[in-house]
């Protein structure tokens, strides 16, 4: 198994929103997508995944509907809503600002 | 939303599994993850486990998700309710005991409350019932603030007061309805013409009395009550206008009263207009015979009305010598109707409340025990992430469920209980039916919910205050709260014991009072004597009335099986007449005495088996009417002087009076319990104006039916149109006069028995629990040489100690609580030492008995097994 980092508190929502922004996907698919895109570095703690998904649905950022999975099973698909898209944009900007600032601090020669 | 839709939603709410969707989603996730792991080369079964592990515990997961998903409280409630049902089914014995305890306790409270509801909380069937008041005369020595009112007073009060929009008077009548084989005696009232208007009663059919009925002597109108109209005329729709053949005078039905109409609880068939001339000397202000009601003007208070009326009454008392010193009182009618039952009902309610409290304590104790036993379960749930609030609310839902089931069964208990009460209660004290209406159901629900909180909150808080590691390490044998639980449980059991003792003391005192009442010698012999009232036809007046009674008595006495017959103006123990009189020949003969008087025909003392001490009986043929006085009267009036030959005058102008010819031993006249009073037995010949309708007392051999038949046959020989009614054995009258004490002592006894049973269960529970807790300790003691008997004594002492403390607290409580029942006591002091000692001893004996079984169990502990652990 790859060495991986637990997703930082607070960034899970952002990652889920981003993963769901491409097309509608079920929970397991979202966790796999995050792992794949991060090349195995980011591993979504599965114990937090579903609470997060439901939280986002409740806040109106995601929309959930029952559909059929690629292997023909009933699965719950999550899709980004318009509000979710706006939230994704603003959280992305915030993250960039934050990570840039952290980079800058770390880049300072001591 | 319609009822059906609502019901459907409720059903869906209870049935739908909210976790179904969630489980599907998670199951899908696990399947996908496991498949992926398998593709990575993991064996199938390990892959599944790993996938599960990664998701991290199903149960905890759904719990957390539910927190997130909102609508949580409702889901949680539903889940808790289902869980509670499951728990209830898992411990059937526990559930049965708890539910039965609460059903009995809530049932007792609800039964008493339903009586209170139907007696005290119903308003009068009149508009603005709070304005309706009773108007009473007040005698000079103020011994009776509720004296009947004279017609002359009433007319003056009505004219001169300004606080009342109107006043009215009524009096009971006993008309006889002819026209069928057997003349029927009716229960009637004669009312002043505007009486119904004053009350605000409207006719259900036809009309009530109007201007054409202003004069009672000429009015031919009669109004029927709804009940009589239905019973006698099968609710004939054409009843208005029909002529009814009343004895002596036909009357025309002008209307029917509404079903709700009721006055003071007396049964009423018909109402006619009051004819003042039906009262002898009606113009006399001292002729106190009527019941007066009034309606206060809007905004006038009771106190203002009282002041107004008293001022008028004072002027009248100054004007007319025969009411010198008399005054008047105003009481609210609704209060008057419930005056005699209110106190007993509230005391019984308090007693039932104590039973409920004891039941609550018992159930709380049981729940605490179980919470301790469930320590491990609670700790596990906490470990899995359930919040404390979540656990508390779940335990509360459990206790609420138990209390609600108890409440529903309690309503059934109450419904049975009220039926029993109606059978036991003295006639006329309670309404004919005691409905379980919305208010009663509301009370039962409120009692159940309060109960669930009282019994549930402490165990819930205590049971969830756990220190995880310790509980789990101990294997759940003891919850951390248990270090304190025994102390709380002991306090609860002591409380229970003391409350039970309060009830025990009160009920024992009341029972002893009843026993003493029943052993009272009434001064006459009740067995084989029967009473029946007679209302002579109006054609008998003055001398013919005397002749009628004389003939009737003689004809009845001549019948086979009849030993002795006489008549009096009131049945035994039901005397109510007090008349003013003056003693002749005293230095100051003018002062009027108010004394009890009973009009009798010759043979009364013989029939009742009363002892004539001196002189002789009254006679039919004596030249002037004569008197016989009771021992108390003789002593009170003349001290040690011989009463025979003395004279007593009735009325202002009489200077000669009637001669006392006999002295009779004291007998009870106003109920069994009231002390013998001064009684003047006057020959009926002198009392024609006071009483037309007399009550026969008939002593005979054989059963009641044959004696009554003989009396009827004898009477028919004198007059065919005279019915006999109110037929009763004197034994029944004696019984009825202690019916209320009997009911009180029965109810208190039942409550005390329940309380004692519950309290002994409580002791049993606590001692058993303590034995279970101390098994190891007992094992060690026995290993170190303690004998079985020592251990037995040790445990027994624990029970006895609890009972002793409970008894001490209870004695203190009882010495205060007995104040409430002081008026119920007869011949026994409320601090009666024997009662207190015996009941306390009884309580201790019972608790020793309850500790016996656990003590035996402790004594038979095998030290080896006990010390090994479990």
């Amino acid at each position: 198994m790859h060495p991986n980092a637990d997703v930082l508190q607070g960034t899970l929502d952002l990652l889920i929103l981003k993963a769901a922004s491409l097309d509608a996907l079920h929970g397991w698919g979202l966790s796999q997508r995050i792992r794949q895109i991060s090349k195995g570095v980011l591993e979504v703690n599965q114990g937090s995944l579903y609470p997060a998904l439901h939280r986002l649905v409740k806040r109106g950022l995601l929309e959930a509907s029952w559909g059929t999975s690629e292997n023909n099973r009933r699965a719950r698909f999550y899709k980004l809503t318009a509000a979710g898209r706006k939230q994704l944009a603003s959280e992305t900007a915030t993250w960039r600002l934050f990570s840039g600032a952290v980079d800058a601090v770390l880049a300072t020669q001591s | 939303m319609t009822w059906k839709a609502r019901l459907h939603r409720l059903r869906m709410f209870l049935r739908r599994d909210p976790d179904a969707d969630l489980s599907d989603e998670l199951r899908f996730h696990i399947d996908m993850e496991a498949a992926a792991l398998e593709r990575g080369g993991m064996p199938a079964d390990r892959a599944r486990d790993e996938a599960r592990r990664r998701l991290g515990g199903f149960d905890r997961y759904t719990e957390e998700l539910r927190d997130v998903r909102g609508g949580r409280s409702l889901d949680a409630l539903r889940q808790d309710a289902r869980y509670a049902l499951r728990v209830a089914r898992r411990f059937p014995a526990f559930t049965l005991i708890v539910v039965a305890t609460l059903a009995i306790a809530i049932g007792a409270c609800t039964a008493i409350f339903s009586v209170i509801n139907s007696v005290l909380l119903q308003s009068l069937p009149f508009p603005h019932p709070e304005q309706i008041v009773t108007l009473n005369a007040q005698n000079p020595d103020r011994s009776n603030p509720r004296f009947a009112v004279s017609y002359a007073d009433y007319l003056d009060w009505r004219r001169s007061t300004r606080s009342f929009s109107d006043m009215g008077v009524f009096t009971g009548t006993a008309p006889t309805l002819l026209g069928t084989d057997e003349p029927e005696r009716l229960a009637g009232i004669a009312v002043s013409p505007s009486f119904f208007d004053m009350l605000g009663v409207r006719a259900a059919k036809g009309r009530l009395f109007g201007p054409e009925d202003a004069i009672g002597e000429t009015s031919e109108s009669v109004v029927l009550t709804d009940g009589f109209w239905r019973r006698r005329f099968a609710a004939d729709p054409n009843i208005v206008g029909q002529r009814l053949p009343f004895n002596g005078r036909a009357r025309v039905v002008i209307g029917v009263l509404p079903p709700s109409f009721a006055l003071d609880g007396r049964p009423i068939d018909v109402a006619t207009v009051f004819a003042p001339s039906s009262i002898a000397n009606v113009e006399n202000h001292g002729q106190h015979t009527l019941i007066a009601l009034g309606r206060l003007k809007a905004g006038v208070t009771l106190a203002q009305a009282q002041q107004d009326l008293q001022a008028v009454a004072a002027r009248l008392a100054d004007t007319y010598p025969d009411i010198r010193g008399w005054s008047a009182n105003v009481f609210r009618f609704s209060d008057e109707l419930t005056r005699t039952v209110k106190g007993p009902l509230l005391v019984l309610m308090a007693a039932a409340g104590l039973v409920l409290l004891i039941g609550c304590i018992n159930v709380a104790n049981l729940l605490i025990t179980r919470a301790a036993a469930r320590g491990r379960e609670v700790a596990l749930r906490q470990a899995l992430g359930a919040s404390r609030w979540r656990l508390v609310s779940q335990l509360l839902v459990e206790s609420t469920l138990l209390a609600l089931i108890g409440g529903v069964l309690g309503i059934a208990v109450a419904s049975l209980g009220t039926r029993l009460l109606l059978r036991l209660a003295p006639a006329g004290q309670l309404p004919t039916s005691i409905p379980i209406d919305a208010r009663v159901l509301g009370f039962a629900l409120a009692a159940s919910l309060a109960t669930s909180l009282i019994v549930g909150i402490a165990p819930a808080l205590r049971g969830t205050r756990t220190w995880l590691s310790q509980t789990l390490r101990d294997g759940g044998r003891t919850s951390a709260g248990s270090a304190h639980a025994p102390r709380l449980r002991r306090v609860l059991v002591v409380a229970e014991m003391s409350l039970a003792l309060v009830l025990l003391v009160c009920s024992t005192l009341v029972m002893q009072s009843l026993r003493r009442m029943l052993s009272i010698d009434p001064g006459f012999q009740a067995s084989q004597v029967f009473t029946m009232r007679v209302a002579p036809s109006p054609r008998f007046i003055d001398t013919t009335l005397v002749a009628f009674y004389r003939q009737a008595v003689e004809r009845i006495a001549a019948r086979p099986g009849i030993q002795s017959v006489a008549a009096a103006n009131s049945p035994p123990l039901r005397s109510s007449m007090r008349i003013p009189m003056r003693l002749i020949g005293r230095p100051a003969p003018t002062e009027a005495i108010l004394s009890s008087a009973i009009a009798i025909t010759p043979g009364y003392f013989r029939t009742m088996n009363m002892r004539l001490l001196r002189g002789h009986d009254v006679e039919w043929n004596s030249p002037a009417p004569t008197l016989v006085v009771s021992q108390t009267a003789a002593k009170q009036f003349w001290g040690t002087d011989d009463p025979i030959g003395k004279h007593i005058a009735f009325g202002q102008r009489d200077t000669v009076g009637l001669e006392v010819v006999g002295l009779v031993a004291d007998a009870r006249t106003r109920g069994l319990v009231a002390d013998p009073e001064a009684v003047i037995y006057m020959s009926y010949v002198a009392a024609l104006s006071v009483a037309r309708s007399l009550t026969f007392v008939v002593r005979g051999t054989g059963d009641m039916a044959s004696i009554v038949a003989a009396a009827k046959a004898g009477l028919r020989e004198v007059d065919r149109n005279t019915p006999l009614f109110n037929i009763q054995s004197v034994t029944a009258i004696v019984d009825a006069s202690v019916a209320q004490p009997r009911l009180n002592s029965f109810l208190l006894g039942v409550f005390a028995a329940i309380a004692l049973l519950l309290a002994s269960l409580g002791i049993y529970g606590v001692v058993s629990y303590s034995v279970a807790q101390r098994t190891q300790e007992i094992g060690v003691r026995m290993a170190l040489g303690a004998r079985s008997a020592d251990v037995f004594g040790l445990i027994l002492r624990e029970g006895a100690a609890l009972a002793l403390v409970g008894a001490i607290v209870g004695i203190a409580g009882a010495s205060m609580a007995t104040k409430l029942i002081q008026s119920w006591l007869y011949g026994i002091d409320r601090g009666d030492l024997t009662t207190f000692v015996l009941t306390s001893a009884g309580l201790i004996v019972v608790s020793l008995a309850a500790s016996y079984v656990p003590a035996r169990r402790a004594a038979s502990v095998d030290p080896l097994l006990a010390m090994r652990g479990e």
Side-chain angles (χ1 to χ4, degrees), chain B residues 804-849:
Chain B
L804 198 65
V805 179
I808 291 168
V809 178
I811 286 172
S815 58
M816 286 185 281
T818 47
K819 246 181 234 161
L820 291 175
I821 53 156
Q822 184 148 36
S823 64
W824 299 5
L825 300 185
Y826 178 82
I828 188 165
D829 191 65
R830 78 177 177 87
D832 183 62
L833 193 62
T834 325
T835 303
F836 273 78
V837 169
L838 285 183
T839 48
S840 307
L843 188 77
I844 291 170
V845 167
V846 167
S847 44
L848 282 180

Side-chain angles (χ1 to χ4, degrees), chain B residues 40-355:
Chain B
M42 200 179 275
D45 51 339
R46 263 201 59 205
R48 240 196 130 61
D49 285 350
E50 175 63 19
R52 265 179 194 281
R53 195 195 57 76
R54 285 190 184 180
L55 197 58
F58 231 123
D59 286 346
R60 163 173 161 257
Y61 212 56
T62 47
E63 179 95 10
E64 242 172 69
L65 277 180
R66 230 184 273 109
D67 276 352
V68 170
R69 225 172 31 184
R72 176 190 169 277
S73 55
L74 214 58
D75 281 346
L77 188 64
R78 177 171 46 208
Q79 196 204 17
D80 287 349
R82 265 207 257 112
Y83 187 75
L85 272 176
R86 227 161 38 224
V87 170
R89 275 201 298 257
R90 207 168 63 204
F91 301 105
F94 172 85
T95 307
L96 190 72
I97 292 176
V98 167
V99 166
T101 304
L102 292 180
I104 290 171
I106 294 175
C109 274
T110 307
I112 301 294
F113 177 80
S114 66
V115 176
I116 288 186
N117 177 46
S118 62
V119 175
L120 300 185
L121 302 182
Q122 304 296 328
S123 57
L124 298 172
F126 312 125
H128 292 289
E130 73 286 353
Q131 293 174 348
I132 306 290
V133 293
T134 64
L135 309 166
N136 296 91
Q138 161 83 71
N139 57 344
D141 70 2
R142 311 211 153 253
S143 58
N144 180 5
R146 295 179 171 78
F147 224 91
V149 175
S150 69
Y151 188 67
D153 268 354
Y154 155 71
L155 290 180
D156 280 329
W157 290 356
R158 192 159 181 250
R159 201 167 27 236
S160 308
T161 53
R162 276 158 300 146
S163 306
F164 303 88
S165 56
D166 196 5
M167 287 180 191
V169 285
F170 75 95
T171 181
T173 61
T176 303
L177 184 59
L178 306 174
T180 44
D181 302 339
E182 182 114 351
E184 189 185 355
R185 175 263 177 187
L186 306 182
I189 48 171
V191 303
S192 53
S194 67
F195 187 74
F196 291 125
D197 290 339
M198 183 265 299
L199 291 178
V201 177
R202 307 224 175 293
K205 287 179 79 66
R207 64 174 180 87
L208 302 181
F209 302 122
E212 55 274 53
D213 303 300
I215 297 167
E217 282 76 4
T218 60
S219 165
E220 292 204 322
S221 304
V222 61
V223 169
L224 311 185
T225 59
D226 181 77
F228 180 62
W229 172 54
R230 285 175 199 283
R231 171 169 69 79
R232 178 69 193 243
F233 301 101
D236 178 2
N238 300 317
I239 188 71
V240 174
Q242 282 189 26
R243 291 183 78 78
L244 300 184
F246 278 95
N247 201 350
R249 179 191 207 168
R251 289 188 179 263
V252 180
V253 177
I254 60 164
V256 178
L257 286 162
S260 64
F261 178 78
L263 267 184
D264 47 7
R266 67 173 74 203
I268 301 173
D269 297 323
V270 296
T272 52
V273 176
F274 170 68
S277 64
S278 64
I279 300 177
N281 305 323
V282 68
E283 70 287 347
N284 188 332
H285 279 262
Q287 203 62 310
H288 301 275
T289 50
L290 300 172
I291 303 172
L293 297 181
R295 184 182 278 282
L296 299 179
K297 280 183 182 156
V300 173
T301 65
L302 205 61
Q304 289 166 340
Q306 168 88 1
Q307 216 172 8
D308 183 14
L309 184 69
Q310 278 186 339
V312 171
R315 272 207 305 280
L316 293 174
D318 285 346
T319 316
Y320 303 99
D322 46 349
I323 53 167
R324 178 152 300 144
W326 284 72
S327 179
N329 286 314
V330 181
F331 299 106
R332 213 175 288 284
F333 190 37
S334 54
D335 296 344
E336 287 297 282
L337 292 182
T338 56
R339 190 166 58 91
T340 51
V341 291
K342 193 172 188 171
L345 275 179
L346 293 183
V347 170
L348 289 175
M349 188 77 231
L354 282 189
V355 170

